[in-house]
Amino acid sequence: MSMVKAYTLPHPPLAIPEVGKGKESKEIKDTLVALDAVAEEIAAIAPETIIYVTPHGTVYFDYFHISPGSSATGDMGRFGAPQVRFEARYDEELIEEITHIAEQNDIHAGTKGERDSNLDHGVTVPMWFIDQKYTNYAAIRLSQSGMAPSEHYMMGQVIAKAAEMTGRKTVLIASSDLSHKLQDNGPYGFAPEGPQFDKLITDAIEKGDFLSILKIPEKIRERAGECGYNSLMVLAGCFDRQNIETKLLSYEAPFGVGYAVASFTPIGENAQRNLLEQYVEFAVNESDKRKNAEDEYQNLARRSLEHIIETGEKLSAPSGLPNEMLKRRAGVFVSLHKSGRLRGCIGTISPTTDNIAQEIIQNAISAGLSDTRFDPVTESELPYIDYKVDVLSAPEPITNASKLDVNRYGVIVTSGYKRGLLLPNLDGIDTVEEQIRIAMQKAGIGDNEEVKLERFEVIRHES
């Protein structure tokens, strides 16, 4: 077994003495002790390669980015300590093997498209502690992606196989801050999901229960404001079908951000720990439950996309639909979600077809196949797609933002030929000001441009 150990480590820059200057760092005493203990362990293991999985590198929605080249440097200049410098020698052979195995398994990963070669603090903070005790290793910097947690788990499986194929004695570091929303006076404020998320993670770590971590709903993760969940999913995938010994070495959150230090040691094969297969079964069952709870609007959106992907033909409006769908015309937005994450969204502000049913068919197909932000939905994804349909009222002009309510009304902003829309009652959009700003960004309208405002209401169909 070449993957000999893994750790989840936080990355607060103030943990480095030249940044924290011994003041704020006193508030994370347990974290510092645990990080030092991890560095001692790694020195005793003497790995040939350390893989850092970071949320702060070059992140793509549908691609795992691995830093290219033979080496990289970084420093803590962004945090007021440019004299603290780092240098990493990359393991090019293992990188090549990871990329090769990923390609064989239809996982999009590689070294193309790097936007910043400098080592980010998701790497340098853990590296600072390790390098105090041990430096005779090559490194790999792997960035999280926008893909689902299950795909990060599969990337971990790829890494473990590549380490085995090359015979590398390897340690993996999942660089992972937990919730950023644990205190009202913290940098990101408070959300009830923050403490909930951190407890779910720390409890699961203590039990070695990666399946429970995989099952944490996307809404909780988003509202908790975490940045390291998918790093932990890569770590989990490295130990698929193996028993593991886990130790939660510390957990602190004095500044409103959760810092957990934990170790994971493989202790033997176990075919029953096929967690990805168990999670897929769970996800399909959950999707079936939501499918059974769909109304006619969602069901028509689902049937429209599935029909064209499976047959290549556009669905005709089926008989037996409610009169509302066949007699009324309206703008419609269809949103697709997979594993809780947006997978496509297309809509029409005003009706473009003969009725709501035709509008749903048209926009469901476009959301799945023509949203340029995403690759087209594939047939293998269909069982995991959830559908939301918003039927819009006719827009009405308003004189100012005081006529808006972020939960009740959507907004349309217009400046010349540029026009942007944002639906109401969206997760993470809490103020009218945010709603207008995001709608302007979507339309490419500058902050100093005059805009006309319209509002609309929606009837939302979701499970």
Side-chain angles (χ1 to χ4, degrees):
M1 177 62 191
S2 296
M3 183 65 65
V4 296
K5 193 96 172 184
Y7 301 88
T8 180
L9 305 180
H11 45 256
L14 59 86
I16 294 176
E18 291 86 346
V19 177
K21 301 186 187 303
K23 299 176 183 178
E24 290 179 313
S25 58
K26 292 179 181 178
E27 302 294 325
I28 53 170
K29 179 181 173 183
D30 290 348
T31 301
L32 296 179
V33 169
L35 287 169
D36 190 63
V38 166
E40 291 276 8
E41 283 189 13
I42 291 174
I45 294 168
E48 297 170 89
T49 301
I50 298 178
I51 300 175
Y52 294 90
V53 186
T54 174
H56 298 299
T58 298
V59 177
Y60 289 102
F61 176 80
D62 57 354
Y63 182 74
F64 289 103
H65 184 267
I66 305 169
S67 292
S70 60
S71 64
T73 60
D75 61 52
M76 298 306 290
R78 178 183 166 197
F79 304 100
Q83 73 276 20
V84 182
R85 298 189 57 79
F86 303 86
E87 184 169 357
R89 170 177 56 88
Y90 285 147
D91 187 335
E92 295 180 88
E93 182 185 354
L94 183 52
I95 289 171
E96 184 177 354
E97 188 66 22
I98 290 170
T99 304
H100 174 65
I101 295 173
E103 183 179 0
Q104 288 180 323
N105 289 272
D106 294 321
I107 295 172
H108 301 301
T111 57
K112 297 179 181 177
E114 183 166 61
R115 293 193 289 263
D116 186 356
S117 62
N118 293 310
L119 299 172
D120 62 273
H121 72 281
V123 174
T124 56
V125 174
M127 182 180 283
W128 187 90
F129 286 89
I130 294 168
D131 286 0
Q132 303 305 303
K133 309 290 184 180
Y134 179 68
T135 58
N136 188 28
Y137 67 91
I140 292 176
R141 178 170 70 150
L142 169 71
S143 293
Q144 294 181 9
S145 77
M147 290 186 275
S150 57
E151 291 168 291
H152 285 78
Y153 191 97
M154 288 188 282
M155 190 61 190
Q157 292 176 300
V158 166
I159 289 169
K161 185 174 181 180
E164 185 176 357
M165 294 295 291
T166 57
R168 287 291 192 277
K169 188 178 185 182
T170 305
V171 165
L172 183 133
I173 305 297
S175 186
S176 312
D177 286 350
L178 301 185
S179 172
H180 290 59
K181 296 188 175 183
L182 299 174
Q183 295 179 9
D184 285 327
N185 59 352
Y188 303 95
F190 176 80
E193 292 83 3
Q196 180 186 6
F197 174 82
D198 280 18
K199 181 168 175 47
L200 288 169
I201 291 289
T202 52
D203 285 354
I205 285 174
E206 289 189 308
K207 298 172 184 175
D209 185 4
F210 286 138
L211 186 59
S212 289
I213 299 176
L214 270 165
K215 290 179 180 179
I216 295 175
E218 173 73 11
K219 281 189 177 181
I220 292 178
R221 303 199 303 268
E222 281 189 359
R223 292 172 180 173
E226 56 80 25
C227 76
Y229 174 86
N230 278 324
S231 294
L232 190 54
M233 285 297 91
V234 174
L235 183 155
C238 289
F239 301 123
D240 188 61
R241 288 178 168 81
Q242 294 185 68
N243 290 318
I244 53 170
E245 179 184 61
T246 63
K247 293 180 181 179
L248 181 63
L249 303 175
S250 69
Y251 173 78
E252 294 179 298
F255 311 120
V257 179
Y259 302 137
V261 178
S263 68
F264 305 83
T265 309
I267 53 175
E269 295 184 2
N270 181 353
Q272 301 304 310
R273 291 193 81 252
N274 55 335
L275 302 187
L276 186 59
E277 293 174 16
Q278 293 178 45
Y279 174 73
V280 168
E281 182 179 355
F282 164 80
V284 171
N285 288 338
E286 291 297 300
S287 183
D288 285 344
K289 290 177 187 177
R290 290 189 293 272
K291 181 177 179 179
N292 292 334
E294 289 174 347
D295 64 10
E296 294 94 338
Y297 293 77
Q298 296 167 274
N299 185 255
L300 180 58
R302 176 185 295 279
R303 292 167 65 186
S304 301
L305 182 58
E306 291 180 351
H307 188 77
I308 197 165
I309 289 177
E310 292 170 354
T311 71
E313 298 178 357
K314 184 177 179 180
L315 181 74
S316 300
S319 59
L321 294 174
N323 283 337
E324 164 81 5
M325 297 176 72
L326 298 173
K327 302 295 185 184
R328 184 183 158 208
R329 301 178 73 227
V332 169
F333 272 73
V334 177
S335 304
L336 315 179
H337 289 81
K338 178 185 174 185
S339 301
R341 296 190 172 205
L342 186 66
R343 185 62 180 84
C345 179
I346 294 289
T348 43
I349 297 173
S350 300
T352 60
T353 63
D354 292 339
N355 54 46
I356 289 174
Q358 292 292 346
E359 209 80 21
I360 291 172
I361 293 169
Q362 167 188 276
N363 294 345
I365 293 171
S366 295
L369 303 181
S370 302
D371 188 334
T372 56
R373 297 170 295 177
F374 306 94
D375 288 337
V377 171
T378 63
E379 187 168 355
S380 63
E381 293 180 276
L382 291 175
Y384 310 104
I385 302 292
D386 296 318
Y387 297 77
K388 180 172 69 178
V389 178
D390 289 312
V391 181
L392 281 58
S393 69
E396 61 172 321
I398 56 175
T399 54
N400 57 63
S402 68
K403 304 292 184 181
L404 290 170
D405 179 323
V406 71
N407 293 315
R408 178 179 177 184
Y409 296 111
V411 65
I412 300 169
V413 296
T414 304
S415 179
Y417 65 89
K418 294 181 284 190
R419 199 178 194 200
L421 174 147
L422 202 68
L423 296 167
N425 195 24
L426 297 176
D427 285 337
I429 311 298
D430 301 318
T431 67
V432 166
E433 291 74 21
E434 287 180 284
Q435 187 184 39
I436 293 173
R437 176 178 55 80
I438 294 172
M440 290 174 64
Q441 287 177 346
K442 291 175 68 176
I445 298 172
D447 293 340
N448 297 323
E449 295 184 57
E450 288 189 18
V451 296
K452 295 179 180 179
L453 299 176
E454 296 173 275
R455 71 182 186 185
F456 60 91
E457 294 182 271
V458 304
I459 298 175
R460 178 159 291 167
H461 301 266
E462 61 181 340
S463 301

mmCIF file with all atom_site columns, all heavy atoms in Angstrom, residues 304-325:
data_model
loop_
_atom_site.group_PDB
_atom_site.id
_atom_site.type_symbol
_atom_site.label_atom_id
_atom_site.label_alt_id
_atom_site.label_comp_id
_atom_site.label_asym_id
_atom_site.label_entity_id
_atom_site.label_seq_id
_atom_site.pdbx_PDB_ins_code
_atom_site.Cartn_x
_atom_site.Cartn_y
_atom_site.Cartn_z
_atom_site.occupancy
_atom_site.B_iso_or_equiv
_atom_site.pdbx_formal_charge
_atom_site.auth_seq_id
_atom_site.auth_comp_id
_atom_site.auth_asym_id
_atom_site.auth_atom_id
_atom_site.pdbx_PDB_model_num
ATOM 1   N N   . SER A 1 304 ? -39.174 15.744 -20.603 1.00 0.00 ? 304 SER A N   1
ATOM 2   C CA  . SER A 1 304 ? -38.699 16.444 -21.806 1.00 0.00 ? 304 SER A CA  1
ATOM 3   C C   . SER A 1 304 ? -37.216 16.220 -22.027 1.00 0.00 ? 304 SER A C   1
ATOM 4   O O   . SER A 1 304 ? -36.778 15.904 -23.147 1.00 0.00 ? 304 SER A O   1
ATOM 5   C CB  . SER A 1 304 ? -38.979 17.948 -21.672 1.00 0.00 ? 304 SER A CB  1
ATOM 6   O OG  . SER A 1 304 ? -40.349 18.190 -21.509 1.00 0.00 ? 304 SER A OG  1
ATOM 7   N N   . LEU A 1 305 ? -36.421 16.378 -20.955 1.00 0.00 ? 305 LEU A N   1
ATOM 8   C CA  . LEU A 1 305 ? -34.978 16.209 -21.101 1.00 0.00 ? 305 LEU A CA  1
ATOM 9   C C   . LEU A 1 305 ? -34.622 14.738 -21.310 1.00 0.00 ? 305 LEU A C   1
ATOM 10  O O   . LEU A 1 305 ? -33.796 14.406 -22.175 1.00 0.00 ? 305 LEU A O   1
ATOM 11  C CB  . LEU A 1 305 ? -34.254 16.769 -19.870 1.00 0.00 ? 305 LEU A CB  1
ATOM 12  C CG  . LEU A 1 305 ? -32.727 16.701 -19.923 1.00 0.00 ? 305 LEU A CG  1
ATOM 13  C CD1 . LEU A 1 305 ? -32.177 17.454 -21.130 1.00 0.00 ? 305 LEU A CD1 1
ATOM 14  C CD2 . LEU A 1 305 ? -32.120 17.251 -18.630 1.00 0.00 ? 305 LEU A CD2 1
ATOM 15  N N   . GLU A 1 306 ? -35.230 13.843 -20.532 1.00 0.00 ? 306 GLU A N   1
ATOM 16  C CA  . GLU A 1 306 ? -34.918 12.427 -20.671 1.00 0.00 ? 306 GLU A CA  1
ATOM 17  C C   . GLU A 1 306 ? -35.291 11.920 -22.061 1.00 0.00 ? 306 GLU A C   1
ATOM 18  O O   . GLU A 1 306 ? -34.536 11.136 -22.662 1.00 0.00 ? 306 GLU A O   1
ATOM 19  C CB  . GLU A 1 306 ? -35.666 11.632 -19.591 1.00 0.00 ? 306 GLU A CB  1
ATOM 20  C CG  . GLU A 1 306 ? -35.137 11.886 -18.187 1.00 0.00 ? 306 GLU A CG  1
ATOM 21  C CD  . GLU A 1 306 ? -35.863 11.094 -17.111 1.00 0.00 ? 306 GLU A CD  1
ATOM 22  O OE1 . GLU A 1 306 ? -36.910 10.470 -17.427 1.00 0.00 ? 306 GLU A OE1 1
ATOM 23  O OE2 . GLU A 1 306 ? -35.393 11.091 -15.969 1.00 0.00 ? 306 GLU A OE2 1
ATOM 24  N N   . HIS A 1 307 ? -36.419 12.386 -22.600 1.00 0.00 ? 307 HIS A N   1
ATOM 25  C CA  . HIS A 1 307 ? -36.880 11.897 -23.904 1.00 0.00 ? 307 HIS A CA  1
ATOM 26  C C   . HIS A 1 307 ? -35.915 12.279 -25.021 1.00 0.00 ? 307 HIS A C   1
ATOM 27  O O   . HIS A 1 307 ? -35.560 11.436 -25.857 1.00 0.00 ? 307 HIS A O   1
ATOM 28  C CB  . HIS A 1 307 ? -38.276 12.460 -24.196 1.00 0.00 ? 307 HIS A CB  1
ATOM 29  C CG  . HIS A 1 307 ? -38.918 11.877 -25.413 1.00 0.00 ? 307 HIS A CG  1
ATOM 30  N ND1 . HIS A 1 307 ? -39.492 10.636 -25.434 1.00 0.00 ? 307 HIS A ND1 1
ATOM 31  C CD2 . HIS A 1 307 ? -39.072 12.379 -26.679 1.00 0.00 ? 307 HIS A CD2 1
ATOM 32  C CE1 . HIS A 1 307 ? -39.980 10.384 -26.638 1.00 0.00 ? 307 HIS A CE1 1
ATOM 33  N NE2 . HIS A 1 307 ? -39.726 11.426 -27.421 1.00 0.00 ? 307 HIS A NE2 1
ATOM 34  N N   . ILE A 1 308 ? -35.452 13.531 -25.009 1.00 0.00 ? 308 ILE A N   1
ATOM 35  C CA  . ILE A 1 308 ? -34.580 13.947 -26.117 1.00 0.00 ? 308 ILE A CA  1
ATOM 36  C C   . ILE A 1 308 ? -33.198 13.308 -25.997 1.00 0.00 ? 308 ILE A C   1
ATOM 37  O O   . ILE A 1 308 ? -32.560 12.979 -27.012 1.00 0.00 ? 308 ILE A O   1
ATOM 38  C CB  . ILE A 1 308 ? -34.472 15.485 -26.206 1.00 0.00 ? 308 ILE A CB  1
ATOM 39  C CG1 . ILE A 1 308 ? -33.927 15.878 -27.585 1.00 0.00 ? 308 ILE A CG1 1
ATOM 40  C CG2 . ILE A 1 308 ? -33.604 16.058 -25.091 1.00 0.00 ? 308 ILE A CG2 1
ATOM 41  C CD1 . ILE A 1 308 ? -34.102 17.332 -27.930 1.00 0.00 ? 308 ILE A CD1 1
ATOM 42  N N   . ILE A 1 309 ? -32.714 13.088 -24.767 1.00 0.00 ? 309 ILE A N   1
ATOM 43  C CA  . ILE A 1 309 ? -31.406 12.448 -24.605 1.00 0.00 ? 309 ILE A CA  1
ATOM 44  C C   . ILE A 1 309 ? -31.481 10.972 -24.985 1.00 0.00 ? 309 ILE A C   1
ATOM 45  O O   . ILE A 1 309 ? -30.573 10.426 -25.627 1.00 0.00 ? 309 ILE A O   1
ATOM 46  C CB  . ILE A 1 309 ? -30.893 12.630 -23.166 1.00 0.00 ? 309 ILE A CB  1
ATOM 47  C CG1 . ILE A 1 309 ? -30.505 14.098 -22.934 1.00 0.00 ? 309 ILE A CG1 1
ATOM 48  C CG2 . ILE A 1 309 ? -29.700 11.713 -22.883 1.00 0.00 ? 309 ILE A CG2 1
ATOM 49  C CD1 . ILE A 1 309 ? -30.060 14.410 -21.519 1.00 0.00 ? 309 ILE A CD1 1
ATOM 50  N N   . GLU A 1 310 ? -32.571 10.313 -24.632 1.00 0.00 ? 310 GLU A N   1
ATOM 51  C CA  . GLU A 1 310 ? -32.689 8.868  -24.882 1.00 0.00 ? 310 GLU A CA  1
ATOM 52  C C   . GLU A 1 310 ? -33.122 8.537  -26.304 1.00 0.00 ? 310 GLU A C   1
ATOM 53  O O   . GLU A 1 310 ? -32.761 7.477  -26.830 1.00 0.00 ? 310 GLU A O   1
ATOM 54  C CB  . GLU A 1 310 ? -33.681 8.273  -23.879 1.00 0.00 ? 310 GLU A CB  1
ATOM 55  C CG  . GLU A 1 310 ? -33.150 8.289  -22.440 1.00 0.00 ? 310 GLU A CG  1
ATOM 56  C CD  . GLU A 1 310 ? -34.210 7.938  -21.414 1.00 0.00 ? 310 GLU A CD  1
ATOM 57  O OE1 . GLU A 1 310 ? -35.402 7.788  -21.809 1.00 0.00 ? 310 GLU A OE1 1
ATOM 58  O OE2 . GLU A 1 310 ? -33.880 7.810  -20.215 1.00 0.00 ? 310 GLU A OE2 1
ATOM 59  N N   . THR A 1 311 ? -33.891 9.432  -26.952 1.00 0.00 ? 311 THR A N   1
ATOM 60  C CA  . THR A 1 311 ? -34.411 9.121  -28.292 1.00 0.00 ? 311 THR A CA  1
ATOM 61  C C   . THR A 1 311 ? -33.904 10.057 -29.378 1.00 0.00 ? 311 THR A C   1
ATOM 62  O O   . THR A 1 311 ? -34.022 9.743  -30.564 1.00 0.00 ? 311 THR A O   1
ATOM 63  C CB  . THR A 1 311 ? -35.948 9.177  -28.298 1.00 0.00 ? 311 THR A CB  1
ATOM 64  O OG1 . THR A 1 311 ? -36.382 10.537 -28.170 1.00 0.00 ? 311 THR A OG1 1
ATOM 65  C CG2 . THR A 1 311 ? -36.540 8.336  -27.174 1.00 0.00 ? 311 THR A CG2 1
ATOM 66  N N   . GLY A 1 312 ? -33.384 11.216 -28.980 1.00 0.00 ? 312 GLY A N   1
ATOM 67  C CA  . GLY A 1 312 ? -32.972 12.208 -29.968 1.00 0.00 ? 312 GLY A CA  1
ATOM 68  C C   . GLY A 1 312 ? -34.115 13.030 -30.511 1.00 0.00 ? 312 GLY A C   1
ATOM 69  O O   . GLY A 1 312 ? -33.919 13.873 -31.398 1.00 0.00 ? 312 GLY A O   1
ATOM 70  N N   . GLU A 1 313 ? -35.325 12.833 -29.993 1.00 0.00 ? 313 GLU A N   1
ATOM 71  C CA  . GLU A 1 313 ? -36.501 13.539 -30.485 1.00 0.00 ? 313 GLU A CA  1
ATOM 72  C C   . GLU A 1 313 ? -37.118 14.402 -29.389 1.00 0.00 ? 313 GLU A C   1
ATOM 73  O O   . GLU A 1 313 ? -37.082 14.052 -28.205 1.00 0.00 ? 313 GLU A O   1
ATOM 74  C CB  . GLU A 1 313 ? -37.543 12.545 -30.998 1.00 0.00 ? 313 GLU A CB  1
ATOM 75  C CG  . GLU A 1 313 ? -37.055 11.697 -32.170 1.00 0.00 ? 313 GLU A CG  1
ATOM 76  C CD  . GLU A 1 313 ? -38.094 10.696 -32.625 1.00 0.00 ? 313 GLU A CD  1
ATOM 77  O OE1 . GLU A 1 313 ? -39.173 10.633 -31.995 1.00 0.00 ? 313 GLU A OE1 1
ATOM 78  O OE2 . GLU A 1 313 ? -37.820 9.966  -33.594 1.00 0.00 ? 313 GLU A OE2 1
ATOM 79  N N   . LYS A 1 314 ? -37.703 15.505 -29.816 1.00 0.00 ? 314 LYS A N   1
ATOM 80  C CA  . LYS A 1 314 ? -38.357 16.408 -28.872 1.00 0.00 ? 314 LYS A CA  1
ATOM 81  C C   . LYS A 1 314 ? -39.713 15.846 -28.457 1.00 0.00 ? 314 LYS A C   1
ATOM 82  O O   . LYS A 1 314 ? -40.479 15.343 -29.284 1.00 0.00 ? 314 LYS A O   1
ATOM 83  C CB  . LYS A 1 314 ? -38.538 17.790 -29.504 1.00 0.00 ? 314 LYS A CB  1
ATOM 84  C CG  . LYS A 1 314 ? -39.130 18.830 -28.568 1.00 0.00 ? 314 LYS A CG  1
ATOM 85  C CD  . LYS A 1 314 ? -39.201 20.191 -29.257 1.00 0.00 ? 314 LYS A CD  1
ATOM 86  C CE  . LYS A 1 314 ? -39.821 21.229 -28.339 1.00 0.00 ? 314 LYS A CE  1
ATOM 87  N NZ  . LYS A 1 314 ? -39.900 22.572 -28.991 1.00 0.00 ? 314 LYS A NZ  1
ATOM 88  N N   . LEU A 1 315 ? -40.003 15.926 -27.167 1.00 0.00 ? 315 LEU A N   1
ATOM 89  C CA  . LEU A 1 315 ? -41.264 15.431 -26.627 1.00 0.00 ? 315 LEU A CA  1
ATOM 90  C C   . LEU A 1 315 ? -42.419 16.330 -27.045 1.00 0.00 ? 315 LEU A C   1
ATOM 91  O O   . LEU A 1 315 ? -42.309 17.557 -27.024 1.00 0.00 ? 315 LEU A O   1
ATOM 92  C CB  . LEU A 1 315 ? -41.183 15.380 -25.093 1.00 0.00 ? 315 LEU A CB  1
ATOM 93  C CG  . LEU A 1 315 ? -42.401 14.861 -24.348 1.00 0.00 ? 315 LEU A CG  1
ATOM 94  C CD1 . LEU A 1 315 ? -42.503 13.337 -24.511 1.00 0.00 ? 315 LEU A CD1 1
ATOM 95  C CD2 . LEU A 1 315 ? -42.306 15.214 -22.861 1.00 0.00 ? 315 LEU A CD2 1
ATOM 96  N N   . SER A 1 316 ? -43.528 15.720 -27.447 1.00 0.00 ? 316 SER A N   1
ATOM 97  C CA  . SER A 1 316 ? -44.769 16.476 -27.671 1.00 0.00 ? 316 SER A CA  1
ATOM 98  C C   . SER A 1 316 ? -45.503 16.603 -26.344 1.00 0.00 ? 316 SER A C   1
ATOM 99  O O   . SER A 1 316 ? -45.406 15.733 -25.477 1.00 0.00 ? 316 SER A O   1
ATOM 100 C CB  . SER A 1 316 ? -45.662 15.756 -28.685 1.00 0.00 ? 316 SER A CB  1
ATOM 101 O OG  . SER A 1 316 ? -45.005 15.625 -29.927 1.00 0.00 ? 316 SER A OG  1
ATOM 102 N N   . ALA A 1 317 ? -46.226 17.704 -26.182 1.00 0.00 ? 317 ALA A N   1
ATOM 103 C CA  . ALA A 1 317 ? -46.956 17.905 -24.932 1.00 0.00 ? 317 ALA A CA  1
ATOM 104 C C   . ALA A 1 317 ? -47.938 16.756 -24.727 1.00 0.00 ? 317 ALA A C   1
ATOM 105 O O   . ALA A 1 317 ? -48.815 16.520 -25.575 1.00 0.00 ? 317 ALA A O   1
ATOM 106 C CB  . ALA A 1 317 ? -47.693 19.239 -24.965 1.00 0.00 ? 317 ALA A CB  1
ATOM 107 N N   . PRO A 1 318 ? -47.806 16.001 -23.639 1.00 0.00 ? 318 PRO A N   1
ATOM 108 C CA  . PRO A 1 318 ? -48.687 14.848 -23.433 1.00 0.00 ? 318 PRO A CA  1
ATOM 109 C C   . PRO A 1 318 ? -50.105 15.281 -23.095 1.00 0.00 ? 318 PRO A C   1
ATOM 110 O O   . PRO A 1 318 ? -50.352 16.403 -22.629 1.00 0.00 ? 318 PRO A O   1
ATOM 111 C CB  . PRO A 1 318 ? -48.032 14.117 -22.257 1.00 0.00 ? 318 PRO A CB  1
ATOM 112 C CG  . PRO A 1 318 ? -47.243 15.160 -21.548 1.00 0.00 ? 318 PRO A CG  1
ATOM 113 C CD  . PRO A 1 318 ? -46.810 16.153 -22.574 1.00 0.00 ? 318 PRO A CD  1
ATOM 114 N N   . SER A 1 319 ? -51.042 14.397 -23.310 1.00 0.00 ? 319 SER A N   1
ATOM 115 C CA  . SER A 1 319 ? -52.432 14.677 -22.960 1.00 0.00 ? 319 SER A CA  1
ATOM 116 C C   . SER A 1 319 ? -52.626 14.542 -21.459 1.00 0.00 ? 319 SER A C   1
ATOM 117 O O   . SER A 1 319 ? -51.816 13.938 -20.763 1.00 0.00 ? 319 SER A O   1
ATOM 118 C CB  . SER A 1 319 ? -53.367 13.708 -23.689 1.00 0.00 ? 319 SER A CB  1
ATOM 119 O OG  . SER A 1 319 ? -53.052 12.371 -23.331 1.00 0.00 ? 319 SER A OG  1
ATOM 120 N N   . GLY A 1 320 ? -53.708 15.121 -20.968 1.00 0.00 ? 320 GLY A N   1
ATOM 121 C CA  . GLY A 1 320 ? -54.045 14.985 -19.561 1.00 0.00 ? 320 GLY A CA  1
ATOM 122 C C   . GLY A 1 320 ? -53.401 16.003 -18.655 1.00 0.00 ? 320 GLY A C   1
ATOM 123 O O   . GLY A 1 320 ? -53.542 15.913 -17.423 1.00 0.00 ? 320 GLY A O   1
ATOM 124 N N   . LEU A 1 321 ? -52.674 16.985 -19.229 1.00 0.00 ? 321 LEU A N   1
ATOM 125 C CA  . LEU A 1 321 ? -52.076 18.035 -18.393 1.00 0.00 ? 321 LEU A CA  1
ATOM 126 C C   . LEU A 1 321 ? -53.151 19.004 -17.913 1.00 0.00 ? 321 LEU A C   1
ATOM 127 O O   . LEU A 1 321 ? -54.184 19.174 -18.563 1.00 0.00 ? 321 LEU A O   1
ATOM 128 C CB  . LEU A 1 321 ? -51.009 18.799 -19.185 1.00 0.00 ? 321 LEU A CB  1
ATOM 129 C CG  . LEU A 1 321 ? -49.754 18.015 -19.589 1.00 0.00 ? 321 LEU A CG  1
ATOM 130 C CD1 . LEU A 1 321 ? -48.875 18.868 -20.481 1.00 0.00 ? 321 LEU A CD1 1
ATOM 131 C CD2 . LEU A 1 321 ? -48.977 17.549 -18.357 1.00 0.00 ? 321 LEU A CD2 1
ATOM 132 N N   . PRO A 1 322 ? -52.925 19.682 -16.778 1.00 0.00 ? 322 PRO A N   1
ATOM 133 C CA  . PRO A 1 322 ? -53.896 20.671 -16.302 1.00 0.00 ? 322 PRO A CA  1
ATOM 134 C C   . PRO A 1 322 ? -54.116 21.775 -17.329 1.00 0.00 ? 322 PRO A C   1
ATOM 135 O O   . PRO A 1 322 ? -53.198 22.141 -18.085 1.00 0.00 ? 322 PRO A O   1
ATOM 136 C CB  . PRO A 1 322 ? -53.237 21.219 -15.029 1.00 0.00 ? 322 PRO A CB  1
ATOM 137 C CG  . PRO A 1 322 ? -52.276 20.171 -14.606 1.00 0.00 ? 322 PRO A CG  1
ATOM 138 C CD  . PRO A 1 322 ? -51.787 19.524 -15.863 1.00 0.00 ? 322 PRO A CD  1
ATOM 139 N N   . ASN A 1 323 ? -55.339 22.326 -17.359 1.00 0.00 ? 323 ASN A N   1
ATOM 140 C CA  . ASN A 1 323 ? -55.660 23.414 -18.286 1.00 0.00 ? 323 ASN A CA  1
ATOM 141 C C   . ASN A 1 323 ? -54.710 24.591 -18.143 1.00 0.00 ? 323 ASN A C   1
ATOM 142 O O   . ASN A 1 323 ? -54.391 25.272 -19.125 1.00 0.00 ? 323 ASN A O   1
ATOM 143 C CB  . ASN A 1 323 ? -57.101 23.883 -18.075 1.00 0.00 ? 323 ASN A CB  1
ATOM 144 C CG  . ASN A 1 323 ? -58.104 22.928 -18.692 1.00 0.00 ? 323 ASN A CG  1
ATOM 145 O OD1 . ASN A 1 323 ? -57.760 22.175 -19.621 1.00 0.00 ? 323 ASN A OD1 1
ATOM 146 N ND2 . ASN A 1 323 ? -59.333 22.934 -18.192 1.00 0.00 ? 323 ASN A ND2 1
ATOM 147 N N   . GLU A 1 324 ? -54.274 24.857 -16.918 1.00 0.00 ? 324 GLU A N   1
ATOM 148 C CA  . GLU A 1 324 ? -53.340 25.956 -16.658 1.00 0.00 ? 324 GLU A CA  1
ATOM 149 C C   . GLU A 1 324 ? -52.097 25.826 -17.539 1.00 0.00 ? 324 GLU A C   1
ATOM 150 O O   . GLU A 1 324 ? -51.587 26.818 -18.060 1.00 0.00 ? 324 GLU A O   1
ATOM 151 C CB  . GLU A 1 324 ? -52.941 25.945 -15.180 1.00 0.00 ? 324 GLU A CB  1
ATOM 152 C CG  . GLU A 1 324 ? -51.712 26.752 -14.813 1.00 0.00 ? 324 GLU A CG  1
ATOM 153 C CD  . GLU A 1 324 ? -51.994 28.226 -14.651 1.00 0.00 ? 324 GLU A CD  1
ATOM 154 O OE1 . GLU A 1 324 ? -53.176 28.619 -14.729 1.00 0.00 ? 324 GLU A OE1 1
ATOM 155 O OE2 . GLU A 1 324 ? -51.029 28.997 -14.454 1.00 0.00 ? 324 GLU A OE2 1
ATOM 156 N N   . MET A 1 325 ? -51.623 24.603 -17.731 1.00 0.00 ? 325 MET A N   1
ATOM 157 C CA  . MET A 1 325 ? -50.414 24.390 -18.504 1.00 0.00 ? 325 MET A CA  1
ATOM 158 C C   . MET A 1 325 ? -50.677 24.454 -20.000 1.00 0.00 ? 325 MET A C   1
ATOM 159 O O   . MET A 1 325 ? -49.762 24.776 -20.781 1.00 0.00 ? 325 MET A O   1
ATOM 160 C CB  . MET A 1 325 ? -49.791 23.034 -18.153 1.00 0.00 ? 325 MET A CB  1
ATOM 161 C CG  . MET A 1 325 ? -49.347 22.914 -16.701 1.00 0.00 ? 325 MET A CG  1
ATOM 162 S SD  . MET A 1 325 ? -48.724 21.260 -16.279 1.00 0.00 ? 325 MET A SD  1
ATOM 163 C CE  . MET A 1 325 ? -47.156 21.242 -17.150 1.00 0.00 ? 325 MET A CE  1
#
